[in-house]
Amino acid sequence: MVPFCLTEEVHRFFETPHDNPAKYLITLTTYVDESQHEATSRHVVVAGFCGDESQWTGLVNPWRAGLGNRKALHMKDLYWHGKAAERRTKQLLARLGPIPTQCTLSPVYGATRVSDYWDLIQGNTELEQKMCGYMVCLAVIFAAFVTVLPPLTEVKVVCEKQNQYEPLARVLFDSFGQDARGDQQKPQFKSIEFIEKDSSLLTQPSDFLAFAMGKYLDERDSRKDFWCRPIFGGKDPGSIQGSVQTKSKARKTVADVLAQRRK
C-alpha cells in the first residue's frame, strides 16, 4: 500500500481551483550548466514526465525503495569517479532509471543552445528574458503537448521553482491555453504550479531526465552519459518526445520575433 501522506501528495497535484480536476500531470525540471550558459555552446534542457494520477501514484513506492537510505536524488551532488562511485552512483541510477517507464510515465524534453542566437538578442533586456533557454525549452514542450496528448485532456504542469522566469512561464502557458480553449481537438492547459526543490518526490525523475539529456547532448559517450541512460527506459534518447532546437531553427525563430516587433 502506498503511504497515506505520499498518496495525498500525488492527489493534491491533480486538484485545481477549477471545476474539473486535471487528468494528466507533467513535472518539469531544468538542467543548466553551472557556467554562464548564454556564452557557451552547452545546452539548456527542460525535461519531465507526463502521466495520470494512477501512473504517478504507482511511481512512489518503487522510487522510494530505489533511493535506499537516501531522502532524495540530487544529480549534481552525486560522485562520478572512483570505485565507490561504481558501486553507489552507477547502481543507484541503474535502479531508479527504469522506474518511470515501468510506471508507463511518458518522457518529454526541450533543449537549446542559447549561444546559437545570443548575438541576435544581446543587449535587449526584454528579449534576453523572453528568449532565454528556459523559455524556449518550455515552448518546445508545450507545443509537444498540443501534438501528442489526447483531445480535451486536462493538463496540469508542475515545475521546480524558477523565480526569475516564473511570471514569463505563466504568460507562455496561458498563451497556449488560450489558443487551445474551445478547440475539441486539442488538450486543455488547466494550470501551472511552481514548487520548491525537494518539496515533492515527484520532481526527482524529471531532474534525472533533464540531467541525463544534458549529458547525452554535451558529453556523449562519457561516464555520466552512460550511467544516466537507464532513465531513457531503453529508448534512443533522440526518439523521446520533444526536440533539440537546431542553430538554424533557433535563429529563424528569433529573427521572426524581431521582424514582428518591427512592424
Side-chain angles (χ1 to χ4, degrees):
M1 180 178 294
V2 178
F4 174 77
C5 62
L6 290 175
T7 304
E8 288 300 303
E9 179 186 341
V10 175
H11 181 65
R12 82 172 178 84
F13 282 128
F14 283 85
E15 296 176 343
T16 71
H18 307 284
D19 294 334
N20 299 310
K23 293 182 175 64
Y24 279 83
L25 171 73
I26 296 93
T27 64
L28 297 173
T29 66
T30 183
Y31 168 74
V32 181
D33 189 70
E34 293 296 337
S35 58
Q36 185 70 14
H37 60 273
E38 290 91 348
T40 74
S41 61
R42 301 181 74 82
H43 287 84
V44 177
V45 180
V46 177
F49 286 94
C50 172
D52 62 26
E53 187 168 359
S54 65
Q55 291 168 317
W56 280 110
T57 300
L59 171 92
V60 174
N61 268 358
W63 192 265
R64 283 178 62 87
L67 287 173
N69 295 326
R70 293 174 178 270
K71 293 183 179 179
L73 177 68
H74 296 140
M75 296 300 294
K76 291 186 178 181
D77 294 338
L78 295 176
Y79 292 100
W80 298 94
H81 302 289
K83 292 183 178 180
E86 287 273 0
R87 292 194 309 271
R88 298 174 185 175
T89 300
K90 184 178 182 181
Q91 292 180 19
L92 173 69
L93 299 181
R95 288 197 307 271
L96 293 173
I99 294 173
T101 298
Q102 291 168 356
C103 296
T104 63
L105 292 165
S106 301
V108 63
Y109 80 101
T112 192
R113 285 185 301 221
V114 182
S115 60
D116 285 344
Y117 59 85
W118 185 246
D119 61 299
L120 298 178
I121 62 173
Q122 189 172 13
N124 186 319
T125 303
E126 181 185 359
L127 283 182
E128 285 181 5
Q129 291 181 329
K130 290 184 177 180
M131 301 299 293
C132 69
Y134 182 75
M135 295 302 298
V136 170
C137 291
L138 276 187
V140 169
I141 291 173
F142 292 167
F145 294 164
V146 173
T147 302
V148 303
L149 291 178
L152 298 180
T153 300
E154 302 284 356
V155 177
K156 178 176 184 179
V157 175
V158 174
C159 301
E160 281 191 354
K161 203 163 191 64
Q162 297 283 339
N163 290 330
Q164 183 178 0
Y165 301 124
E166 179 177 341
L168 290 171
R170 290 187 179 278
V171 170
L172 180 67
F173 183 88
D174 289 343
S175 174
F176 274 85
Q178 290 174 7
D179 288 343
R181 192 167 296 126
D183 190 328
Q184 299 293 309
Q185 300 304 312
K186 293 182 179 180
Q188 302 300 297
F189 287 64
K190 195 78 169 180
S191 65
I192 186 169
E193 180 178 352
F194 291 80
I195 63 174
E196 297 290 344
K197 187 177 181 66
D198 289 338
S199 64
S200 171
L201 175 151
L202 303 187
T203 60
Q204 293 176 29
S206 301
D207 183 44
F208 189 168
L209 179 64
F211 184 92
M213 186 60 74
K215 297 307 174 186
Y216 173 75
L217 294 173
D218 293 330
E219 301 177 30
R220 188 78 51 88
D221 298 332
S222 67
R223 171 175 286 200
K224 291 181 181 180
D225 173 32
F226 281 127
W227 288 9
C228 288
R229 293 287 182 98
I231 195 64
F232 299 127
K235 297 180 180 178
D236 177 349
S239 71
I240 291 175
Q241 190 64 47
S243 68
V244 181
Q245 291 277 290
T246 63
K247 182 174 183 177
S248 60
K249 185 173 182 180
R251 291 184 71 84
K252 184 180 185 305
T253 298
V254 174
D256 289 345
V257 170
L258 292 172
Q260 287 295 322
R261 291 168 66 88
R262 296 190 192 103
K263 292 181 178 180

